[in-house]
Amino acid sequence: MAKATYKDAGVDLDLYQKAMSSITPLLAKTHVAQKSRVMELPGGFAGLFRLNNPQPGPAGRQYEDPVLVSGTDGVGTKIKVAIQAGVYNTIGIDLVAMCVNDCLCLGAEPLFFLDYIALGKDDPERLVELMEGVTKGCVLSKAALLGGETAIMPDLYGDGDFDMAGFCVGVVERNQVLDGQAIQSGDVVLGLESSGFHSNGYSLIRKVVFEMAGLDVNDQIEELNQRTVASILLEPTRIYADAINTIFQSFPDQIVISGLAHITGGGLVENVERILPQNRRIDLKRSAWEVPAVFDWLQSLGDIDEAEMFRVFNMGIGLVAIVRAQHAEAVQEKLQSLQIPSHVLGKVTQGDKEVTLS
């Protein structure tokens, strides 16, 4: 009887080591923004990160009473689109974005990120492509990619399949945690534009686009400037970390942003309502922004009810910032300078806790 080996079982340790050595330079790129806080530990089983920055400045803040903020997420069935299209170097941006944007909503400065990637077989080239996206997302977030895990599980994932999960850690001064309690009547509600579908609703998107409409990832969509289905559906999730932290740093001793909501599943109404304190209400104005054409295209393609669209998708608004009225114009100007257009969606008023969209 032949001797059993791990390679025969579907895991090639030599290929695995090749893959690990290929991604080391990618990790190094993410350490630049947090260079003075990442502690080198060659061969370590975990990563080390200094909470307070020994060299205060653009790389980070100093904290008196720091609170750690953590968030974890995946990218859902958007992965299936990446597999269909054979495009693997952008989905990692989505992974970072979904975690980092959640942590931002508590006022946190992203510190570091961990990733988990599972594949059905050893595939160093695909792993490097996936990590290119994760790396870019971390660079955009100014978060160090401190470590992660790559799992090869041939009996769990089919040939060509993979999955990803991410975990972000940030920090915020305890007296600056955005828990919604600072939201007051008269605050202005700003909607920051999304980059597209982000990473929500892809089970519905795939059903409509591929099953109902019978489109292929390479088909060009005339009403969307001849963009391919793949480029539309794989547009990476916008990361708001740099913009939001720039605003915090521009007004260090004032309450400028009183609340932040990441617009994911549940849409505008449900996600904004999550951060409202009692006795505050918001009436969002649908006329305040133009819904991007990609959403109109999908709605028409699947004959989706408008209420369903607004509950499942961000509809062009990826993040909501509730700001003090006297700072609203300055915040919008700052966002515009960072290439993130925003719109005044409404104002906070007194009343029973509720968000409406009309």
Side-chain angles (χ1 to χ4, degrees):
M1 181 181 295
K3 294 183 178 180
T5 67
Y6 208 6
K7 186 175 182 178
D8 292 336
V11 180
D12 187 330
L13 290 177
D14 292 328
L15 269 179
Y16 183 85
Q17 289 301 323
K18 178 183 176 182
M20 292 302 100
S21 63
S22 297
I23 65 176
T24 300
L26 297 176
L27 269 70
K29 291 181 181 179
T30 73
H31 294 179
V32 174
Q34 300 282 5
K35 186 175 181 180
S36 59
R37 298 162 94 172
V38 176
M39 298 174 65
E40 296 299 327
L41 187 66
F45 288 93
L48 297 176
F49 192 96
R50 300 181 70 167
L51 184 56
N52 273 324
N53 183 11
Q55 298 175 15
R61 317 173 205 158
Q62 293 283 61
Y63 296 88
E64 295 180 3
D65 189 8
V67 174
L68 292 178
V69 177
S70 65
T72 186
D73 210 339
V75 290
T77 59
K78 191 171 185 175
I79 283 176
K80 297 290 286 185
V81 182
I83 293 171
Q84 281 179 261
V87 176
Y88 305 106
N89 61 355
T90 62
I91 198 79
I93 301 173
D94 295 285
L95 182 67
V96 176
M98 297 306 289
C99 299
V100 166
N101 288 343
D102 277 352
C103 290
L104 284 180
C105 291
L106 290 172
E109 170 202 5
L111 295 178
F112 59 84
F113 189 81
L114 304 172
D115 71 306
Y116 171 85
I117 299 177
L119 303 100
K121 67 175 184 179
D122 297 284
D123 191 339
E125 290 184 8
R126 180 173 299 184
L127 180 60
V128 168
E129 288 182 87
L130 293 173
M131 291 304 302
E132 284 174 357
V134 175
T135 299
K136 186 171 182 179
C138 287
V139 170
L140 290 170
S141 306
K142 292 185 170 64
L145 183 55
L146 203 59
E149 168 69 5
T150 301
I152 310 300
M153 297 186 284
D155 293 328
L156 191 59
Y157 294 94
D159 189 22
D161 286 340
F162 69 92
D163 197 9
M164 306 176 77
F167 181 83
C168 177
V169 172
V171 63
V172 61
E173 200 72 72
R174 184 175 180 180
N175 62 8
Q176 295 174 6
V177 173
L178 293 182
D179 58 4
Q181 296 307 305
I183 297 173
Q184 63 185 28
S185 182
D187 283 355
V188 173
V189 182
L190 297 181
L192 282 62
E193 290 188 4
S194 69
S195 57
F197 294 114
H198 285 187
S199 295
N200 291 102
Y202 272 77
S203 293
L204 176 57
I205 291 171
R206 290 186 305 107
K207 179 180 179 64
V208 169
V209 173
F210 301 121
E211 184 179 323
M212 295 175 63
L215 294 176
D216 181 79
V217 288
N218 296 313
D219 287 340
Q220 294 181 310
I221 307 304
E222 183 178 353
E223 58 266 43
L224 297 177
N225 299 317
Q226 299 297 325
R227 292 180 66 189
T228 65
V229 169
S231 71
I232 294 164
L233 301 190
L234 291 177
E235 182 70 38
T237 303
R238 174 167 273 165
I239 296 175
Y240 300 94
D242 187 45
I244 295 302
N245 278 295
T246 296
I247 291 170
F248 284 140
Q249 292 171 7
S250 298
F251 304 90
D253 301 316
Q254 306 173 65
I255 295 179
V256 175
I257 297 176
S258 57
L260 288 167
H262 186 197
I263 310 306
T264 55
L268 272 167
V269 170
E270 292 182 22
N271 284 290
V272 173
E273 192 169 283
R274 289 171 61 177
I275 66 171
L276 273 187
Q278 296 299 321
N279 304 316
R280 299 287 185 273
R281 66 172 288 122
I282 295 173
D283 297 306
L284 300 171
K285 300 303 179 186
R286 168 63 189 81
S287 59
W289 82 102
E290 183 176 349
V291 172
V294 291
F295 295 97
D296 295 332
W297 165 71
L298 181 73
Q299 183 178 6
S300 176
L301 205 61
D303 192 24
I304 306 171
D305 288 340
E306 185 145 309
E308 181 78 354
M309 290 292 297
F310 273 90
R311 188 171 189 198
V312 176
F313 303 109
N314 66 64
M315 301 302 283
I317 301 296
L319 191 78
V320 164
I322 301 178
V323 303
R324 292 290 189 254
Q326 65 268 31
H327 296 300
E329 186 175 344
V331 170
Q332 283 196 282
E333 289 176 356
K334 181 66 71 174
L335 289 170
Q336 187 62 46
S337 72
L338 296 167
Q339 287 77 53
I340 299 182
S342 62
H343 309 273
V344 176
L345 305 184
K347 287 190 176 182
V348 179
T349 59
Q350 289 287 116
D352 293 337
K353 179 179 176 178
E354 185 181 20
V355 175
T356 65
L357 178 65
S358 60

